[in-house]
């Protein structure tokens, strides 16, 4: 098993009568992309803040990069993007980034070189426009988020922790962030990010942990988590809208226990004892314009719904975790 970047053992955190994290244990391997998943208020942000020694756990122990999490020597080896975005809005972008780099021990000359490299990579410096010369408040929200992301990486940390990094990003900026996460892993870095967007976790993460109400619901590699939940899921895609007859079949609880309807794509959970071939025959007889009918392992989204519930997904659409 790869050496651990982070080990959390029986950690708990309480605020008066509210238990934010309850008896949490996790091992996060080095060189991996690890997702902390859960709805709003699940304990994700509290866990991250304890890892970073921003708040102290009431009980338990945390080891980061082989040292106790309170060891000051590990701070310059960690990059952190908090959920609450914050930059000096009236300062020039380059000056803000140079200041953040120098706080982590990077010389001004080296910081300028790295800033230029990262800004070009993330589209903030082009032949037409250098946003590094603008003030922070002249940038769009997405651009500001990329600037803060750059600030977390300028000192070339071994461990990168991103709290809800995709929140508020448009598809283009979100893809730039995903590409960077993949590259960080390729370079041997460990990346941990919290999210409630299951698709991002499924595509990017090697392993995940689902937290709900301060407790670990499950953790493990994405492949193992999906395999443990069996292959009673049918991926159904239609070339047109479902007719009333098809909708009636999809609502038949003797065949389908749950149906996740995404317009022309459906993720169906077979009812106990249901025959997928019989379901396919009924759909064909009903004239369903089938483009895909495949028995698959459930998606993380489906597993999340099963283990946390639809209410948790709705609550997870914003706020602190």
């Amino acid at each position: 098993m790869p050496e651990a970047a982070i080990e959390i053992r029986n950690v708990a955190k309480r605020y008066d009568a509210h238990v934010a994290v309850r008896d949490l244990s996790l091992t996060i391997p080095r060189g991996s992309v690890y997702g902390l998943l859960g709805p709003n208020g699940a304990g994700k942000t509290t866990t991250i803040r304890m890892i970073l020694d921003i708040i102290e756990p009431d009980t338990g122990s945390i080891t980061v990069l082989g040292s106790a999490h309170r060891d000051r020597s590990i701070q310059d080896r960690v990059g952190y993007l908090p959920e609450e975005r914050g930059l000096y809005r009236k300062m020039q972008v380059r000056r803000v980034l140079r200041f953040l780099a120098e706080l982590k021990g990077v010389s001004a000359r080296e910081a300028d070189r790295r800033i230029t490299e990262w800004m070009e990579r993330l589209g903030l410096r082009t032949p037409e426009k250098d946003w590094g010369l603008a003030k922070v408040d002249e940038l769009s929200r997405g651009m500001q988020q990329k600037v803060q992301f750059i600030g977390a990486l300028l000192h070339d940390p071994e461990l990168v922790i991103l709290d809800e990094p995709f929140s508020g990003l448009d598809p283009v900026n979100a893809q730039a962030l995903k590409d960077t996460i993949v590259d960080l892993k390729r370079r041997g870095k460990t990346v941990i990010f919290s999210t409630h967007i299951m698709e991002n976790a499924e595509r990017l993460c090697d392993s995940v942990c689902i937290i709900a109400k301060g407790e670990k619901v499950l953790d493990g590699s994405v492949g193992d988590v999906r395999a443990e939940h069996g292959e009673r899921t049918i991926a159904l895609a239609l070339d047109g809208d479902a007719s009333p007859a098809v909708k009636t079949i999809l609502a038949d609880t003797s065949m389908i226990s749950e149906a996740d309807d995404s317009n022309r794509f459906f993720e169906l959970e077979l009812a106990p004892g249901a025959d997928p071939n019989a379901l396919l025959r009924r759909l064909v007889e009903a004239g369903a314009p089938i483009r895909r009918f495949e028995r698959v392992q459930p998606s993380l989204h489906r597993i999340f719904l099963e283990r946390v519930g639809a209410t948790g997904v709705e609550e997870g659409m914003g706020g602190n975790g």
Side-chain angles (χ1 to χ4, degrees):
M1 183 175 180
E3 183 182 356
I6 293 176
E7 290 189 80
I8 299 174
R9 292 287 175 264
N10 306 113
V11 161
K13 184 65 184 178
R14 177 189 293 271
Y15 298 100
D16 296 325
H18 173 65
V19 179
V21 175
R22 187 192 307 272
D23 195 30
L24 179 65
S25 294
L26 289 177
T27 299
I28 301 176
R30 291 196 191 219
S32 67
V33 179
Y34 193 94
L36 288 174
L37 316 180
N40 180 30
K44 305 186 303 294
T45 295
T46 298
T47 299
I48 286 172
R49 289 174 177 170
M50 288 191 290
I51 290 170
L52 294 165
D53 196 31
I54 296 172
I55 58 177
E56 185 68 11
D58 296 331
T59 59
S61 64
I62 302 174
T63 301
V64 179
L65 299 175
S67 300
H69 76 295
R70 304 207 71 177
D71 186 341
R72 296 291 94 189
S73 67
I74 65 174
Q75 295 303 312
D76 289 347
R77 299 163 64 192
V78 178
Y80 173 45
L81 177 68
E83 182 180 16
E84 298 84 6
R85 315 299 186 227
L87 295 165
Y88 297 103
R89 299 183 61 82
K90 297 301 180 182
M91 282 182 68
Q92 186 189 75
V93 169
R94 275 190 172 271
R95 291 185 62 193
V96 172
L97 289 173
R98 189 184 303 124
F99 169 68
L100 294 174
E102 290 178 338
L103 286 177
K104 292 291 190 176
V106 182
S107 69
R109 183 174 180 178
E110 177 62 16
D112 284 338
R113 184 191 70 78
R114 296 183 186 183
I115 290 166
T116 297
E117 181 181 299
W118 274 109
M119 292 191 69
E120 289 177 350
R121 178 172 180 173
L122 295 181
L124 293 173
R125 186 175 188 269
T126 67
E128 294 77 29
K129 179 73 174 180
D130 184 354
W131 287 100
L133 304 178
K135 291 183 179 179
V136 169
D137 63 4
E138 296 173 23
L139 275 61
S140 68
R141 179 181 175 184
M143 286 182 173
Q144 290 183 28
Q145 191 158 329
K146 286 198 285 189
V147 169
Q148 193 155 345
F149 181 54
I150 291 170
L153 300 177
L154 283 173
H155 59 297
D156 195 27
E158 296 174 45
L159 171 64
V160 180
I161 300 177
L162 311 171
D163 197 354
E164 293 287 356
F166 301 102
S167 176
L169 288 182
D170 61 50
V172 173
N173 286 325
Q175 187 59 52
L177 181 56
K178 292 174 190 176
D179 292 343
T180 303
I181 290 173
V182 171
D183 184 62
L184 288 169
K185 181 194 172 182
R186 189 180 299 120
R187 292 166 50 202
K189 312 295 185 182
T190 304
V191 181
I192 302 168
F193 68 87
S194 69
T195 187
H196 58 267
I197 304 173
M198 298 299 112
E199 181 182 1
N200 288 338
E202 190 154 24
R203 293 189 176 187
L204 290 170
C205 293
D206 300 300
S207 301
V208 295
C209 171
I210 294 180
I211 302 175
K213 298 180 180 179
E215 295 188 77
K216 180 173 72 175
V217 175
L218 60 80
D219 78 305
S221 73
V222 171
D224 287 347
V225 166
R226 294 181 66 191
E228 285 171 9
H229 286 75
E231 291 189 354
R232 297 202 56 75
T233 299
I234 299 294
L236 172 66
L238 304 178
D239 273 330
D241 294 335
S243 67
V246 170
K247 290 180 180 178
T248 298
I249 295 169
L250 298 182
D252 183 350
T253 55
S254 69
M255 298 290 293
I256 299 166
S257 60
E258 291 185 67
D260 185 7
D261 181 353
S262 301
N263 195 12
R264 296 181 181 182
F265 178 81
F266 301 83
E267 190 171 356
L268 311 173
E269 188 75 12
L270 291 172
D275 180 359
N277 294 320
L279 173 60
L280 177 59
R281 281 195 301 272
R282 287 186 61 186
L283 289 170
V284 170
E285 290 167 359
I290 297 173
R291 180 160 49 90
R292 180 189 181 198
F293 185 96
E294 183 181 0
R295 194 167 180 173
V296 297
Q297 292 177 341
S299 65
L300 282 182
H301 180 75
R302 167 58 55 193
I303 295 168
F304 190 89
L305 287 173
E306 179 184 321
R307 301 298 294 270
V308 177
T311 301
V313 174
E314 292 168 2
E315 291 175 350
M317 294 308 292
N320 291 330

